[in-house]
Amino acid sequence: MEKNSAENKFVKMGAYHSLELELNKNFTITKPFWDSVTLERLEAACDPAKSADVGAVILQEGLANICLITNTMTIVRLRVEIPIPRKGKGGPEQHDKAMERFYEATLQGILRHFHFDILKCVIIASPGFVKDQLSEYIFTEALRRDLKVLTENKPKFVLAHSSSGHKYSLKEVMTDPSVAAKLSDTKAAGEVKCLNDFYDMLKTDPDRAFYDLKMFKQERNTLKLSRL
């Protein structure tokens, strides 16, 4: 939201106004001069992979969400879904083969969507031992296939517990103190701190911690919002 510096038939002088852009709709921005800083910001906004310094794989058996985390958003770059038969149906061999296909598809997604020259941390989170099994598969295959991009960046990987393999479970992972410590020097650290502050406010002053749409619009117009 910005203050208008030139009056026109739509906005009065000094009034606050905002512009809403609809998702997946093309638009054009014109400017007399584009400096390098502005161009870099536009490029980063158009391709989050160039600014995201945290990657995350949140998974459960047969489901994995491969995500990039920036200081403002979490983007799912790939969703891996492979049916996993129960061990009782067809014996453990069918289950193990399906899990190997699942881990391989997840590994290929990591190689395709994670830029390790930019990423500072990669989180692998799941219920149970799925995260440990995926990590073991990744680095066993990295050694066997001589995937140096993985072996050289192994210290960046951190394992964490999550309640499910769905994207929303990343919230609980990001608030885990051990994960937050690993993210301390990343851009996502600001998002983690904001989320922690929100949960603290829910406990201590819940009336200030959330708004319905009507209240949000009222507070936005009076500039009383602290963070969004």
Side-chain angles (χ1 to χ4, degrees):
M1 183 177 293
E2 298 292 340
K3 198 171 184 178
N4 192 37
S5 59
E7 186 171 352
N8 58 58
K9 64 180 181 179
F10 301 108
V11 185
K12 294 181 179 180
M13 174 72 78
Y16 288 92
H17 66 96
S18 60
L19 178 65
E20 295 182 1
L21 300 174
E22 187 176 344
L23 189 64
N24 299 322
K25 290 286 187 179
N26 294 333
F27 62 92
T28 302
I29 302 176
T30 58
K31 191 177 179 180
F33 174 74
W34 293 91
D35 57 69
S36 59
V37 175
T38 305
L39 289 173
E40 286 177 6
R41 287 177 178 173
L42 281 174
E43 188 176 4
C46 292
D47 186 2
K50 293 182 179 179
S51 61
D53 57 359
V54 177
V57 181
I58 186 158
L59 71 157
Q60 62 192 45
E61 283 197 1
L63 170 67
N65 285 288
I66 298 175
C67 308
L68 290 174
I69 304 173
T70 72
N71 60 330
T72 57
M73 68 183 84
T74 299
I75 306 136
V76 177
R77 301 295 286 189
L78 179 67
R79 182 180 174 94
V80 178
E81 289 186 276
I82 292 180
I84 307 295
R86 294 181 181 179
K87 289 185 179 181
K89 293 184 178 181
E93 288 186 4
Q94 294 297 322
H95 176 273
D96 293 345
K97 287 180 180 178
M99 286 301 295
E100 186 171 348
R101 290 196 302 272
F102 172 61
Y103 291 143
E104 178 61 25
T106 305
L107 170 58
Q108 292 303 320
I110 289 171
L111 291 172
R112 186 161 60 252
H113 293 287
F114 284 176
H115 300 289
F116 287 95
D117 54 332
I118 299 174
L119 294 179
K120 295 180 180 178
C121 179
V122 177
I123 303 166
I124 299 180
S126 78
F129 297 101
V130 183
K131 60 184 181 301
D132 306 275
Q133 293 165 358
L134 174 63
S135 177
E136 182 180 359
Y137 181 87
I138 288 172
F139 293 109
T140 299
E141 291 301 306
L143 288 173
R144 188 176 70 84
R145 305 180 201 178
D146 194 26
L147 301 174
K148 292 183 179 180
V149 68
L150 292 174
T151 53
E152 291 175 356
N153 288 281
K154 187 175 181 179
K156 295 181 180 180
F157 283 75
V158 56
L159 304 185
H161 171 78
S162 68
S163 58
S164 77
H166 296 281
K167 178 188 171 183
Y168 61 77
S169 292
L170 267 176
K171 292 181 180 179
E172 66 193 57
V173 175
M174 299 286 280
T175 55
D176 184 301
S178 60
V179 175
K182 292 281 187 179
L183 301 178
S184 59
D185 64 339
T186 67
K187 296 175 183 176
E191 184 176 357
V192 173
K193 184 180 184 304
C194 187
L195 190 60
N196 286 334
D197 290 346
F198 175 76
Y199 286 136
D200 289 340
M201 188 176 288
L202 276 176
K203 297 175 185 176
T204 59
D205 195 357
D207 290 339
R208 292 181 55 217
F210 62 92
Y211 296 89
D212 59 24
L213 182 58
K214 181 179 179 181
M215 293 176 66
F216 164 75
K217 289 180 177 179
Q218 290 174 346
E219 298 299 316
R220 181 188 64 177
N221 292 335
T222 56
L223 301 181
K224 290 181 179 178
L225 284 177
S226 173
R227 288 183 228 176
L228 178 62

Coordinates of all heavy atoms in Angstrom, one line a residue, residues 135-184:
S135 N 16.7 -40.6 3.1 CA 18.1 -40.0 3.3 C 19.1 -41.1 3.0 O 20.1 -40.9 2.3 CB 18.3 -39.5 4.7 OG 19.6 -39.0 4.9
E136 N 18.9 -42.3 3.5 CA 19.9 -43.4 3.3 C 19.9 -43.7 1.8 O 21.0 -44.0 1.2 CB 19.4 -44.6 4.1 CG 20.4 -45.8 3.9 CD 20.0 -47.0 4.7 OE1 18.9 -46.9 5.4 OE2 20.6 -48.1 4.6
Y137 N 18.7 -43.8 1.1 CA 18.7 -44.1 -0.3 C 19.4 -43.0 -1.1 O 20.2 -43.3 -2.0 CB 17.2 -44.2 -0.7 CG 17.0 -44.5 -2.2 CD1 17.0 -45.8 -2.6 CD2 16.9 -43.5 -3.2 CE1 16.9 -46.2 -4.0 CE2 16.8 -43.8 -4.5 CZ 16.8 -45.1 -4.9 OH 16.6 -45.5 -6.2
I138 N 19.2 -41.7 -0.8 CA 19.8 -40.6 -1.5 C 21.3 -40.8 -1.5 O 22.0 -40.7 -2.6 CB 19.3 -39.3 -0.9 CG1 17.9 -39.0 -1.3 CG2 20.2 -38.2 -1.5 CD1 17.3 -37.8 -0.6
F139 N 21.9 -40.9 -0.3 CA 23.3 -40.9 -0.2 C 24.0 -42.2 -0.6 O 25.2 -42.2 -1.0 CB 23.7 -40.4 1.1 CG 23.3 -39.0 1.4 CD1 22.3 -38.6 2.2 CD2 23.9 -37.9 0.6 CE1 21.9 -37.3 2.4 CE2 23.6 -36.6 0.8 CZ 22.5 -36.3 1.7
T140 N 23.3 -43.3 -0.5 CA 23.8 -44.6 -1.0 C 23.9 -44.5 -2.6 O 24.9 -44.9 -3.2 CB 22.9 -45.8 -0.6 OG1 22.8 -45.9 0.8 CG2 23.4 -47.1 -1.2
E141 N 22.8 -44.0 -3.2 CA 22.8 -43.9 -4.6 C 23.8 -42.8 -5.1 O 24.4 -42.9 -6.2 CB 21.4 -43.5 -5.1 CG 20.4 -44.6 -5.0 CD 20.8 -45.9 -5.7 OE1 21.1 -45.8 -7.0 OE2 20.9 -47.0 -5.1
A142 N 24.0 -41.7 -4.3 CA 24.9 -40.7 -4.7 C 26.3 -41.2 -4.7 O 27.1 -40.9 -5.7 CB 24.8 -39.6 -3.6
L143 N 26.7 -42.1 -3.8 CA 28.0 -42.7 -3.8 C 28.1 -43.7 -5.0 O 29.1 -43.8 -5.7 CB 28.3 -43.5 -2.5 CG 28.5 -42.6 -1.3 CD1 28.6 -43.4 0.0 CD2 29.8 -41.8 -1.5
R144 N 27.1 -44.5 -5.2 CA 27.1 -45.5 -6.3 C 27.2 -44.9 -7.7 O 27.9 -45.4 -8.5 CB 25.9 -46.4 -6.2 CG 25.9 -47.6 -7.1 CD 24.7 -48.5 -6.9 NE 23.4 -47.9 -7.3 CZ 23.0 -47.9 -8.6 NH1 23.7 -48.5 -9.5 NH2 21.8 -47.4 -8.9
R145 N 26.4 -43.8 -7.8 CA 26.4 -43.1 -9.2 C 27.4 -41.9 -9.3 O 27.4 -41.3 -10.3 CB 25.0 -42.6 -9.4 CG 23.9 -43.6 -9.3 CD 22.5 -43.0 -9.6 NE 21.4 -43.8 -9.1 CZ 20.2 -43.5 -9.1 NH1 19.8 -42.3 -9.8 NH2 19.2 -44.2 -8.6
D146 N 28.1 -41.7 -8.2 CA 29.1 -40.6 -8.2 C 28.4 -39.3 -8.5 O 28.8 -38.4 -9.3 CB 30.2 -40.8 -9.3 CG 31.4 -39.9 -9.0 OD1 31.6 -39.4 -7.9 OD2 32.1 -39.5 -10.0
L147 N 27.3 -39.0 -7.7 CA 26.5 -37.8 -7.8 C 27.2 -36.8 -6.8 O 26.7 -36.6 -5.6 CB 25.1 -38.0 -7.5 CG 24.3 -39.0 -8.4 CD1 22.9 -39.2 -7.9 CD2 24.3 -38.5 -9.8
K148 N 28.2 -36.1 -7.2 CA 29.0 -35.2 -6.3 C 28.1 -34.1 -5.8 O 28.4 -33.6 -4.7 CB 30.2 -34.7 -7.1 CG 31.2 -35.8 -7.4 CD 32.5 -35.2 -8.0 CE 33.5 -36.3 -8.3 NZ 34.7 -35.8 -8.9
V149 N 27.1 -33.6 -6.6 CA 26.3 -32.5 -6.1 C 25.6 -32.9 -4.8 O 25.3 -32.0 -4.0 CB 25.3 -32.1 -7.2 CG1 24.2 -33.2 -7.4 CG2 24.6 -30.8 -6.9
L150 N 25.4 -34.2 -4.6 CA 24.7 -34.6 -3.4 C 25.7 -34.9 -2.3 O 25.6 -34.4 -1.1 CB 23.9 -35.8 -3.6 CG 22.6 -35.6 -4.5 CD1 21.9 -37.0 -4.8 CD2 21.6 -34.7 -3.8
T151 N 26.8 -35.6 -2.6 CA 27.8 -35.9 -1.6 C 28.5 -34.7 -1.0 O 28.8 -34.6 0.2 CB 28.8 -36.9 -2.1 OG1 29.4 -36.4 -3.3 CG2 28.2 -38.3 -2.5
E152 N 28.7 -33.7 -1.9 CA 29.4 -32.5 -1.4 C 28.5 -31.6 -0.6 O 29.0 -30.8 0.2 CB 30.0 -31.7 -2.7 CG 31.1 -32.4 -3.4 CD 31.5 -31.7 -4.6 OE1 30.9 -30.7 -5.0 OE2 32.5 -32.2 -5.3
N153 N 27.2 -31.8 -0.8 CA 26.3 -30.9 0.0 C 25.5 -31.7 1.1 O 24.6 -31.2 1.6 CB 25.2 -30.3 -1.0 CG 25.8 -29.3 -1.9 OD1 26.0 -28.1 -1.4 ND2 26.1 -29.6 -3.1
K154 N 26.0 -32.9 1.5 CA 25.4 -33.7 2.5 C 25.2 -32.9 3.8 O 24.2 -33.0 4.5 CB 26.2 -35.0 2.7 CG 25.5 -35.9 3.7 CD 26.3 -37.2 3.8 CE 25.5 -38.2 4.7 NZ 26.2 -39.5 4.8
P155 N 26.2 -32.1 4.2 CA 26.1 -31.3 5.5 C 24.9 -30.4 5.5 O 24.4 -30.0 6.6 CB 27.4 -30.5 5.6 CG 28.4 -31.3 4.8 CD 27.6 -31.9 3.7
K156 N 24.3 -30.0 4.3 CA 23.2 -29.1 4.3 C 21.9 -29.8 4.6 O 20.9 -29.2 4.9 CB 23.0 -28.5 2.9 CG 24.2 -27.6 2.5 CD 24.0 -27.0 1.1 CE 25.2 -26.1 0.7 NZ 25.0 -25.5 -0.6
F157 N 21.9 -31.1 4.6 CA 20.6 -31.9 4.9 C 20.3 -32.0 6.4 O 21.2 -32.3 7.1 CB 20.7 -33.3 4.2 CG 20.5 -33.3 2.7 CD1 21.5 -32.9 1.9 CD2 19.3 -33.7 2.2 CE1 21.4 -32.9 0.5 CE2 19.1 -33.7 0.8 CZ 20.2 -33.3 0.0
V158 N 19.1 -31.8 6.7 CA 18.7 -32.0 8.1 C 17.4 -32.8 8.1 O 16.5 -32.5 7.3 CB 18.5 -30.6 8.8 CG1 17.5 -29.7 8.1 CG2 18.1 -30.8 10.3
L159 N 17.3 -33.8 9.0 CA 16.1 -34.6 9.2 C 15.2 -34.1 10.3 O 15.7 -33.7 11.3 CB 16.5 -36.1 9.4 CG 17.4 -36.7 8.4 CD1 17.6 -38.2 8.7 CD2 16.9 -36.5 6.9
A160 N 13.9 -34.1 10.1 CA 13.0 -33.7 11.1 C 11.7 -34.5 11.1 O 11.4 -35.1 10.1 CB 12.6 -32.2 10.9
H161 N 11.0 -34.4 12.2 CA 9.7 -35.1 12.3 C 8.5 -34.2 11.8 O 8.5 -33.0 12.0 CB 9.4 -35.5 13.7 CG 8.0 -36.1 13.9 ND1 7.7 -37.4 13.5 CD2 6.9 -35.5 14.4 CE1 6.4 -37.6 13.8 NE2 5.9 -36.5 14.3
S162 N 7.6 -34.8 11.1 CA 6.3 -34.1 10.7 C 5.2 -35.1 10.9 O 5.4 -36.3 10.9 CB 6.4 -33.7 9.2 OG 6.4 -34.8 8.4
S163 N 4.0 -34.6 11.0 CA 2.8 -35.4 11.3 C 2.3 -36.0 10.0 O 1.5 -37.0 10.1 CB 1.7 -34.6 12.0 OG 1.4 -33.5 11.2
S164 N 2.7 -35.5 8.8 CA 2.2 -36.0 7.6 C 3.2 -35.6 6.5 O 4.1 -34.9 6.7 CB 0.8 -35.6 7.2 OG 0.8 -34.2 6.8
G165 N 2.9 -36.0 5.2 CA 3.7 -35.7 4.1 C 3.1 -34.5 3.3 O 3.5 -34.2 2.2
H166 N 2.0 -33.9 3.8 CA 1.4 -32.8 3.2 C 2.1 -31.4 3.5 O 2.7 -31.3 4.5 CB -0.1 -32.7 3.6 CG -0.9 -33.9 3.1 ND1 -1.3 -34.1 1.8 CD2 -1.3 -35.0 3.8 CE1 -2.0 -35.2 1.8 NE2 -1.9 -35.8 3.0
K167 N 1.9 -30.5 2.6 CA 2.6 -29.2 2.7 C 2.3 -28.5 4.0 O 3.2 -27.9 4.6 CB 2.2 -28.3 1.5 CG 2.9 -26.9 1.5 CD 2.3 -26.0 0.4 CE 2.7 -24.6 0.6 NZ 2.1 -23.7 -0.4
Y168 N 1.1 -28.6 4.5 CA 0.7 -27.8 5.7 C 1.5 -28.2 6.9 O 1.7 -27.5 7.9 CB -0.8 -27.9 5.9 CG -1.3 -29.3 6.2 CD1 -1.1 -29.9 7.4 CD2 -2.0 -29.9 5.2 CE1 -1.6 -31.2 7.6 CE2 -2.5 -31.2 5.4 CZ -2.3 -31.8 6.6 OH -2.8 -33.1 6.9
S169 N 2.1 -29.5 6.9 CA 2.8 -30.0 8.0 C 4.2 -29.3 8.1 O 4.9 -29.4 9.1 CB 3.0 -31.5 7.9 OG 1.8 -32.2 8.0
L170 N 4.6 -28.5 7.1 CA 5.8 -27.8 7.1 C 5.8 -26.7 8.2 O 6.9 -26.4 8.8 CB 6.1 -27.1 5.8 CG 7.0 -27.9 4.8 CD1 7.1 -27.1 3.5 CD2 8.4 -28.1 5.4
K171 N 4.6 -26.3 8.6 CA 4.5 -25.2 9.6 C 5.1 -25.8 11.0 O 5.9 -25.1 11.6 CB 3.0 -24.8 9.8 CG 2.5 -24.1 8.7 CD 1.0 -23.7 8.9 CE 0.4 -22.9 7.7 NZ -1.0 -22.6 8.0
E172 N 4.7 -27.0 11.3 CA 5.2 -27.5 12.6 C 6.7 -27.8 12.5 O 7.4 -27.7 13.5 CB 4.4 -28.8 12.9 CG 4.7 -30.0 12.0 CD 3.7 -31.1 12.1 OE1 2.5 -30.8 12.0 OE2 4.1 -32.2 12.3
V173 N 7.2 -28.2 11.3 CA 8.6 -28.5 11.1 C 9.4 -27.2 11.3 O 10.5 -27.2 12.0 CB 8.8 -29.1 9.7 CG1 10.3 -29.3 9.5 CG2 8.1 -30.5 9.6
M174 N 8.9 -26.1 10.7 CA 9.7 -24.9 10.7 C 9.8 -24.3 12.1 O 10.7 -23.5 12.4 CB 9.0 -23.9 9.8 CG 9.0 -24.3 8.4 SD 10.6 -24.2 7.5 CE 10.6 -22.4 7.2
T175 N 8.8 -24.6 13.0 CA 8.8 -24.1 14.4 C 9.6 -25.0 15.3 O 9.8 -24.7 16.5 CB 7.4 -23.9 14.9 OG1 6.7 -25.2 14.8 CG2 6.7 -22.9 14.1
D176 N 10.1 -26.2 14.8 CA 10.9 -27.0 15.7 C 12.3 -26.3 16.0 O 12.9 -25.8 15.1 CB 11.2 -28.3 14.9 CG 12.0 -29.3 15.7 OD1 13.1 -29.0 16.1 OD2 11.5 -30.5 15.9
P177 N 12.6 -26.2 17.2 CA 13.9 -25.4 17.6 C 15.1 -25.9 16.9 O 16.0 -25.1 16.5 CB 14.0 -25.7 19.1 CG 12.6 -25.9 19.6 CD 11.9 -26.7 18.4
S178 N 15.3 -27.2 16.7 CA 16.5 -27.8 16.1 C 16.5 -27.4 14.6 O 17.6 -27.1 14.0 CB 16.5 -29.3 16.2 OG 15.4 -29.9 15.6
V179 N 15.4 -27.3 13.9 CA 15.3 -26.9 12.5 C 15.5 -25.4 12.4 O 16.3 -24.9 11.6 CB 14.0 -27.3 11.9 CG1 13.8 -26.7 10.5 CG2 13.8 -28.8 11.9
A180 N 14.9 -24.6 13.3 CA 15.0 -23.2 13.3 C 16.5 -22.8 13.5 O 17.0 -21.8 12.9 CB 14.2 -22.6 14.5
A181 N 17.2 -23.5 14.3 CA 18.7 -23.2 14.5 C 19.4 -23.4 13.2 O 20.4 -22.6 12.9 CB 19.2 -24.1 15.6
K182 N 19.1 -24.4 12.4 CA 19.7 -24.6 11.1 C 19.4 -23.5 10.1 O 20.2 -23.3 9.2 CB 19.3 -26.0 10.5 CG 19.8 -27.2 11.3 CD 21.2 -27.5 11.0 CE 21.7 -28.8 11.6 NZ 23.1 -29.1 11.3
L183 N 18.2 -22.9 10.3 CA 17.8 -21.9 9.3 C 18.2 -20.5 9.7 O 17.8 -19.5 9.1 CB 16.3 -21.9 9.2 CG 15.6 -23.2 8.8 CD1 14.1 -23.1 8.8 CD2 16.1 -23.7 7.4
S184 N 19.0 -20.3 10.8 CA 19.3 -19.0 11.4 C 19.9 -18.1 10.4 O 19.7 -16.8 10.5 CB 20.2 -19.2 12.6 OG 21.4 -19.8 12.2

